[in-house]
Amino acid sequence: MLCDVCKVETASVFLTQIVEGKMQKVNMCEACSKEKGVSDPTGFALADLLLGMGAAQPVERSAAEGNRCPKCGFTHSEFTKTGRLGCSVCYSTFSEGLEGMLKGMHKGMRHTGKCPERLQRSLALENEVRTLTQELRSAVEGERYEEAAALRDKIKTLESENLKAAGAGEK
Amino acid sequence: MPTRNILSKGGDWFGGEGPHHQIVVSSRVRLARNLSGKPFPGWAKKVERSAILDLIRPQVEGLPEMSEASSVSCQDLSALEKQVLVERHLISREHAAKGLGSAVVMNRRQTLSIMINEEDHLRMQALRSGLQLRAAFKAINKVDTELEEKLDFAFDSKLGYLTACPSNVGTGMRASAMLHVPALVLSDQINQVVQAVNKIGLAVRGLYGEGTEALGNLFQISNQTTLGEREEEILERLQKVILQVIEHEQNARKTLLQNRPNTLLDHIGRSYGILRHAYSMNSKEALNLLSLAKLGCDLGFYPDNQRRAVDELFMETQPAHLQKGSQKKLATEERDILRSDIIRKKLETFSAPDVDGVMRRGKEGSGAPADPDSAPGTRGQAPFSE
Ligand SMILES: [Zn+2]
Ligand SMILES: [Zn+2]
């Protein structure tokens, strides 16, 4: 069996992760499993997993262990014991079981309070880009090319701003 | 060392000031925050926990609010020092049990305290004296806004701030007020009030003591839910209910004074006698007697300049506060003797209750001197609504 990441070496580490309720299997070679900076975007969750658990640890998981947080390795039985979760990703890992619990605990099921300003800014930017993209489309359809070019430039600037803002949040 | 200085003196929030300060001792708002994708403190390995602490701590210490702060690792605090901080509400009991990989940063006035790696990566709280929930929220919200520019907090657009325990998810906010309600206890109305407050989704618990036992007639009211309402809505709901409890307590005081003056006078007089003349007193007795002395101040039995001494004794007679002046560890009996010594000394010049004055003023029709901030009002027994 070939490594899913490099597709060259033979896989020796086998991972099972739950993504949005679906089980995914990832097979890797020794070198890739230790590599921390996986840049392949499809390897994103995988990279998180490795970073979260520490690459030095053996990361073999059997499918039988199923309900385990791909980010932090937390299990549902652990939650039953302590009533506390393992990491923020656990909320999506165990979302099914949590829903009923949250319903009984709280006034509502949707957060309506404070939202981090950085996130708000990037949401606002996304909205603006969406609007401008629609305008761009109608400008192209209407063959108003000068306007379209200006809009395209504006969108590009906004998108790079958003990337920068998101980058600042990482550490 | 700055931490020793912080331990030597009580915080500004325990000053007996602020709106409704006669009945509301203090207000507190805390926010729980976590770093995105990092294991929560209870699940993180030692190395990870220390790495998280190293990431958060410099940002907290760099806050403008923390320019004269004391920042201390949990493993550097003795058991006694931790207990003193617990008694001052600067750290939680849970945090006092932590060692390596956890820390607390407190401002000099002890109105802000930030626990790192308690149950969540960050537990940040603002304390104020009297009923000042909004002011406390404003202060801690500012700290949060400053920190979120530097740290990547775990936030979900549907569930809000993600916390180790699902009971804190959403706003991550717990707002609470500590209320002194001796008349509700003396007139056996407290259970009714507690039940009514519970029914509308707020939690009430005795401040000291286990379970339902409330020492010193002190109760804490806080929000129970954190998801589905905005912070301001939660605070508003809490504020409304607290104002109603204040009103009930004031009515209960008036009723006691008018209908059962002997019961009241007996309590006030006995507490005065025992506080001034006892030679051994446990913490439970001290809290209950001090509560009556505090009620005596509120009702005009004692001149207003004696209030401060009573307020201070609430804190100074707590076990760890008693202990901290001594070089060796005191046995229980030694502590009880020391406690009564401190109380006698502090109340040495405390004048006897002015019974005639209070009764005369009561007959003149103005009733008991009430908290001037609050609306009088004579509502029925169960007007608890949202
Ligand atoms: Zn490979
Ligand atoms: Zn997790």
Side-chain angles (χ1 to χ4, degrees):
Chain A
M1 193 182 288
L2 282 184
C3 167
D4 285 339
V5 181
C6 63
K7 316 232 193 280
V8 174
E9 300 292 330
T10 308
S12 61
V13 178
F14 309 99
L15 288 157
T16 304
Q17 53 180 347
I18 311 288
V19 178
E20 288 172 322
K22 280 190 209 128
M23 199 159 66
Q24 285 186 356
K25 287 187 176 170
V26 184
N27 312 309
M28 287 179 301
C29 70
E30 196 70 30
C32 288
S33 77
K34 282 190 177 152
E35 170 108 54
K36 285 192 176 188
V38 184
S39 53
D40 178 6
T42 58
F44 177 70
L46 184 64
D48 276 357
L49 177 59
L50 285 174
L51 289 173
M53 301 206 314
Q57 257 191 303
V59 281
E60 214 171 82
R61 299 262 174 267
S62 73
E65 282 178 276
N67 218 0
R68 185 178 279 273
C69 176
K71 180 83 186 171
C72 74
F74 196 78
T75 61
H76 197 272
S77 69
E78 204 69 42
F79 180 62
T80 318
K81 240 191 288 170
T82 62
R84 307 288 185 274
L85 291 161
C87 79
S88 50
V89 177
C90 286
Y91 276 92
S92 45
T93 309
F94 305 108
S95 63
E96 250 174 65
L98 278 171
E99 192 140 320
M101 186 184 204
L102 290 172
K103 216 171 255 172
M105 249 175 196
H106 293 288
K107 278 232 152 185
M109 286 299 284
R110 183 168 275 281
H111 177 62
T112 54
K114 186 177 184 178
C115 164
E117 270 177 38
R118 205 145 29 83
L119 195 71
Q120 260 175 343
R121 283 199 295 271
S122 97
L123 285 177
L125 270 173
E126 266 169 42
N127 272 335
E128 206 179 335
V129 168
R130 205 171 305 137
T131 319
L132 289 174
T133 310
Q134 273 165 9
E135 281 174 26
L136 173 62
R137 197 170 304 140
S138 75
V140 170
E141 275 164 15
E143 300 185 355
R144 302 189 302 275
Y145 294 118
E146 238 172 78
E147 191 187 331
L151 282 167
R152 203 184 44 225
D153 288 349
K154 210 169 172 187
I155 290 169
K156 259 191 198 150
T157 322
L158 285 178
E159 274 174 341
S160 73
E161 247 177 67
N162 201 7
L163 270 177
K164 246 186 278 162
E170 305 294 312
K171 282 169 200 176
Chain B
M1 185 174 168
T3 312
R4 299 299 179 277
N5 293 340
I6 252 194
L7 289 172
S8 68
K9 198 186 152 288
D12 279 3
W13 64 270
F14 205 79
E17 280 153 26
H20 301 285
H21 68 268
Q22 293 192 350
I23 292 173
V24 183
V25 178
S26 64
S27 302
R28 172 162 48 154
V29 177
R30 76 104 165 104
L31 299 175
R33 298 290 185 258
N34 288 281
L35 300 185
S36 172
K38 305 265 189 230
F40 296 139
W43 182 241
K45 296 182 192 67
K46 267 187 193 152
V47 189
E48 293 171 317
R49 215 167 38 227
S50 293
I52 289 163
L53 174 62
D54 292 342
L55 201 66
I56 295 176
R57 193 170 180 169
Q59 302 300 345
V60 172
E61 291 172 349
L63 289 166
E65 285 86 353
M66 293 299 185
S67 60
E68 279 182 275
S70 91
S71 168
V72 55
S73 302
C74 287
Q75 82 267 22
D76 293 338
L77 285 167
S78 71
L80 180 65
E81 289 168 332
K82 283 175 174 171
Q83 195 51 42
V84 168
L85 294 177
V86 169
E87 287 173 5
R88 290 203 195 145
H89 305 281
L90 291 169
I91 65 172
S92 61
R93 269 176 217 291
E94 292 72 27
H95 207 56
K98 301 276 156 118
L100 199 69
S102 296
V104 58
V105 183
M106 306 157 277
N107 69 345
R108 198 175 47 82
R109 294 172 56 215
Q110 301 178 31
T111 53
L112 280 176
S113 100
I114 299 185
M115 290 176 269
I116 305 172
N117 282 337
E118 200 241 28
E119 179 182 297
D120 294 296
H121 293 144
L122 281 157
R123 285 281 178 103
M124 321 183 275
Q125 61 161 22
L127 283 155
R128 290 287 183 276
S129 59
L131 182 57
Q132 300 197 65
L133 289 167
R134 284 189 196 93
F137 174 68
K138 207 175 151 200
I140 205 61
N141 189 44
K142 180 167 175 284
V143 166
D144 177 53
T145 303
E146 283 158 357
L147 281 178
E148 75 184 11
E149 290 293 327
K150 318 262 172 148
L151 298 166
D152 194 14
F153 287 157
F155 184 87
D156 178 86
S157 56
K158 184 167 176 273
L159 292 178
Y161 292 95
L162 302 175
T163 50
C165 183
S167 65
N168 293 317
V169 83
T171 59
M173 182 182 83
R174 191 80 57 209
S176 63
M178 194 205 297
L179 273 68
H180 180 238
V181 288
L184 287 177
V185 176
L186 281 174
S187 57
D188 288 326
Q189 294 181 64
I190 189 66
N191 287 334
Q192 207 181 333
V193 169
V194 168
Q195 276 168 20
V197 175
N198 280 336
K199 220 179 244 170
I200 53 180
L202 299 172
V204 188
R205 59 182 194 90
L207 184 68
Y208 302 103
E210 301 295 315
T212 53
E213 191 186 31
L215 301 182
N217 301 315
L218 291 163
F219 291 83
Q220 185 180 288
I221 303 186
S222 62
N223 63 305
Q224 224 158 6
T225 61
T226 52
L227 181 62
E229 274 177 301
R230 289 186 302 118
E231 289 83 354
E232 291 79 6
E233 290 170 322
I234 295 173
L235 292 171
E236 179 67 24
R237 200 153 60 87
L238 193 57
Q239 173 96 6
K240 256 184 171 169
V241 168
I242 290 167
L243 287 174
Q244 286 179 327
V245 174
I246 292 172
E247 199 179 312
H248 275 261
E249 169 67 15
Q250 275 164 345
N251 288 339
R253 289 180 182 190
K254 266 178 229 156
T255 309
L256 271 178
L257 207 52
Q258 278 159 19
N259 302 350
R260 296 166 60 200
N262 286 332
T263 309
L264 183 69
L265 294 178
D266 189 55
H267 279 294
I268 300 275
R270 277 168 190 274
S271 67
Y272 178 79
I274 299 169
L275 284 168
R276 294 233 19 219
H277 299 287
Y279 280 79
S280 172
M281 195 180 291
N282 66 29
S283 145
K284 180 180 171 179
E285 187 181 12
L287 280 170
N288 289 335
L289 295 174
L290 286 170
S291 163
L292 291 166
K294 189 170 164 63
L295 176 65
C297 291
D298 293 351
L299 294 178
F301 285 99
Y302 306 116
D304 217 46
N305 59 11
Q306 292 184 176
R307 175 184 295 281
R308 179 97 199 172
V310 177
D311 282 340
E312 283 172 359
L313 280 172
F314 268 95
M315 192 65 89
E316 287 167 8
T317 56
Q318 289 296 297
H321 276 78
L322 267 188
Q323 185 86 55
K324 80 184 164 78
S326 312
Q327 295 308 310
K328 64 179 179 74
K329 183 152 170 47
L330 300 173
T332 311
E333 306 90 84
E334 291 175 303
R335 272 210 305 270
D336 291 350
I337 292 168
L338 178 61
R339 184 177 288 111
S340 60
D341 288 349
I342 289 174
I343 294 173
R344 279 199 325 277
K345 188 136 187 274
K346 192 132 192 165
L347 300 184
E348 215 164 25
T349 57
F350 214 81
S351 57
D354 177 18
V355 173
D356 293 343
V358 171
M359 298 321 280
R360 192 179 57 244
R361 284 195 292 277
K363 280 205 185 84
E364 278 163 10
S366 59
D371 198 338
D373 305 316
S374 58
T378 41
R379 287 213 221 160
Q381 280 315 328
F384 280 93
S385 59
E386 278 176 76

